[in-house]
Amino acid sequence: MIITPTEHDAPYESSDPIELLIKEARQKARRRRLRISAVLTIALAFVVLLLLLVAGGVPSSAKRTTGNKPARTVGANLSSVVIPHFALPVDIAVSGSHAWVVNNYMSLKSPLANSCSELNVSNGSLVRVISLSHVVGGLNAPNSIAASGTHVWVTDFNRIIELNASNGSVVRVIEAKPQLHVMDPAPLFAITASGTKVWVANLNSVIEINASNGSVERVINAKADRFSMPIDIAVSGSHVWVMNNVVGDRITELNANDGSLVRVINTKADVFGQNGLTASGSHVWITNWNANSVTELNASTGSVARVIRCCAFAGIASPSTIAVAGTHLWVTTNLNSVIELNASSGSLVRVIKAKADGFDYSPAVYAFDAIHVWVVNAQSNSVTELNASSGSLVRLIK
């Protein structure tokens, strides 16, 4: 279902947010199935009654009309109103006229378990749901996705699955242990695609993959890189920026051409609880969950350009994910809102938190061009599309 515009709230505290999200998503899915079952039962009873009336005859004075609309089927294009578009969506990737949303829902009872929902960017309609359950072993809670040209890459606990962007078919499966030389793959991969390369963050390493053939070019895990369960990764030009976990409070910068270490930036003096990362041109931005701020780094030197105190903006707290599109910087918070900042100056442009936008308390923002901004709402099983120029709501997709 797509809702187009006409014209909550406590900070999240949990040692295992994914577990909580999955639990609540399961509860919502269970309620939804009960409602659907009730509707189908009533519909079936109505059909049976109608057939009995027809079999028993119809008065001659009654006019009977027949419709000429073809029956709607649910197959490759799952556009039926009975089946939702998403189930605990946690990541999105856009390439050309299509977007792919990864559904991190582990219950096999859901029709969207182990799948990606493909959308038409121009109108938000559902193109297809790509089921990955037939892949050997299936997916164990897919969690990250990237797209580049005709390739779509999905990660889960133990593997990377490459999809054909044209038809959703599986091109190849890269198993983490034998092919990536990883003994203990992290439960949460971070993945990004840039040009001919795909970069994947693992437990204590970064894997560089050739996007054209899926071969592993290198596994970067030198002790000097100081990787500590990387949670985010961004690429800008010849730079690869890897965010280590919140305990480390440090950023590892790599040379995108050969994977060599450029520098390790210890940001602990400027941030506390880094949570999101994005890069564009000569700047890198980091969100700091506990410090209610965004740190901007100079991409050339790794030095701190400025610290943006988000807590001063209309009471907004705990910035989480971050994305950059042109001169706009987009930051999500735990208060059902998105902050838009001026990427050049760090000044506040607006706070977006209308009820119609559909943000839940843990939204995640992504920007792939200067036109569209996508916000994934895991709790409400929806995706919000914003206009990157004005911040206005384009549509809410459910």
Side-chain angles (χ1 to χ4, degrees):
M1 178 175 64
I2 301 173
I3 302 174
T4 53
T6 56
E7 320 181 315
H8 344 280
D9 278 272
Y12 180 72
E13 298 178 359
S14 174
S15 59
D16 195 345
I18 291 297
E19 182 179 346
L20 179 58
L21 292 180
I22 292 173
K23 181 179 179 181
E24 295 190 9
R26 284 173 172 167
Q27 292 174 346
K28 288 187 176 182
R30 189 177 299 111
R31 291 194 295 268
R32 186 183 293 111
R33 288 194 296 269
L34 289 175
R35 290 196 297 268
I36 292 173
S37 298
V39 171
L40 291 177
T41 300
I42 295 173
L44 180 61
F46 177 78
V47 170
V48 172
L49 178 61
L50 182 61
L51 290 175
L52 291 175
L53 291 175
V54 172
V58 180
S60 58
S61 60
K63 295 182 179 180
R64 289 184 291 180
T65 59
T66 58
N68 56 6
K69 294 183 179 180
R72 176 158 47 183
T73 59
V74 179
N77 188 334
L78 300 179
S79 57
S80 171
V81 295
V82 175
I83 300 178
H85 286 19
F86 315 112
L88 192 59
V90 292
D91 203 359
I92 186 172
V94 176
S95 181
S97 60
H98 292 269
W100 294 265
V101 180
V102 61
N103 296 301
N104 188 346
Y105 190 59
M106 295 187 293
S107 173
L108 296 179
K109 296 179 181 179
S110 168
L112 295 178
N114 297 337
S115 71
C116 293
S117 299
E118 182 181 344
L119 306 176
N120 186 315
V121 169
S122 62
N123 58 21
S125 62
L126 183 66
V127 177
R128 62 173 65 89
V129 172
I130 306 169
S131 174
L132 299 175
S133 296
H134 62 283
V135 178
V136 176
L139 279 180
N140 297 309
N143 56 76
S144 188
I145 190 168
S148 178
T150 59
H151 306 267
V152 178
W153 307 81
V154 184
T155 63
D156 76 338
F157 282 106
N158 303 308
R159 63 189 68 102
I160 301 168
I161 297 177
E162 181 185 347
L163 303 175
N164 184 315
S166 301
N167 57 26
S169 62
V170 175
V171 177
R172 63 178 56 88
V173 179
I174 305 174
E175 295 289 344
K177 288 188 177 181
Q179 293 175 256
L180 303 185
H181 311 290
V182 175
M183 296 304 296
D184 297 302
L188 292 176
F189 279 108
I191 187 170
T192 188
S194 178
T196 60
K197 298 182 180 182
V198 176
W199 303 86
V200 184
N202 197 7
L203 184 62
N204 288 303
S205 66
V206 170
I207 302 106
E208 180 186 338
I209 297 174
N210 186 314
S212 61
N213 58 24
S215 62
V216 177
E217 295 195 351
R218 61 177 57 90
V219 176
I220 308 168
N221 57 3
K223 187 175 181 180
D225 297 328
R226 297 183 65 189
F227 294 135
S228 176
M229 197 172 182
I231 57 175
D232 207 350
I233 188 168
V235 179
S236 180
S238 60
H239 303 268
V240 177
W241 305 86
V242 182
M243 173 181 288
N244 293 285
N245 65 14
V246 295
V247 176
D249 273 335
R250 61 177 178 264
I251 304 295
T252 302
E253 180 186 349
L254 303 174
N255 185 314
N257 297 318
D258 58 14
S260 62
L261 175 66
V262 176
R263 63 177 61 89
V264 175
I265 305 170
N266 188 342
T267 58
K268 198 166 186 177
D270 306 289
V271 306
F272 180 53
Q274 57 193 24
N275 197 59
L277 172 73
T278 191
S280 178
S282 60
H283 293 277
V284 178
W285 293 270
I286 305 161
T287 59
N288 313 304
W289 177 269
N290 292 318
N292 293 337
S293 65
V294 174
T295 301
E296 180 183 340
L297 302 178
N298 185 312
S300 301
T301 64
S303 60
V304 176
R306 65 172 59 90
V307 176
I308 307 168
R309 304 294 178 185
C310 298
C311 57
F313 299 155
I316 299 301
S318 299
S320 181
T321 60
I322 187 169
V324 61
T327 60
H328 303 267
L329 200 61
W330 307 85
V331 183
T332 58
T333 79
N334 68 336
L335 297 180
N336 310 72
S337 63
V338 173
I339 304 171
E340 181 185 347
L341 304 174
N342 184 308
S344 301
S345 63
S347 61
L348 175 67
V349 177
R350 61 178 59 89
V351 176
I352 308 169
K353 56 178 180 180
K355 186 176 181 180
D357 295 327
F359 303 141
D360 58 29
Y361 68 78
S362 57
V365 66
Y366 304 89
F368 302 92
D369 53 42
I371 302 174
H372 308 271
V373 176
W374 304 86
V375 182
V376 176
N377 308 296
Q379 281 295 291
S380 56
N381 291 329
S382 66
V383 171
T384 304
E385 182 186 347
L386 301 175
N387 184 310
S389 299
S390 62
S392 60
L393 176 65
V394 177
R395 59 180 60 90
L396 178 62
I397 310 169
K398 293 186 176 181

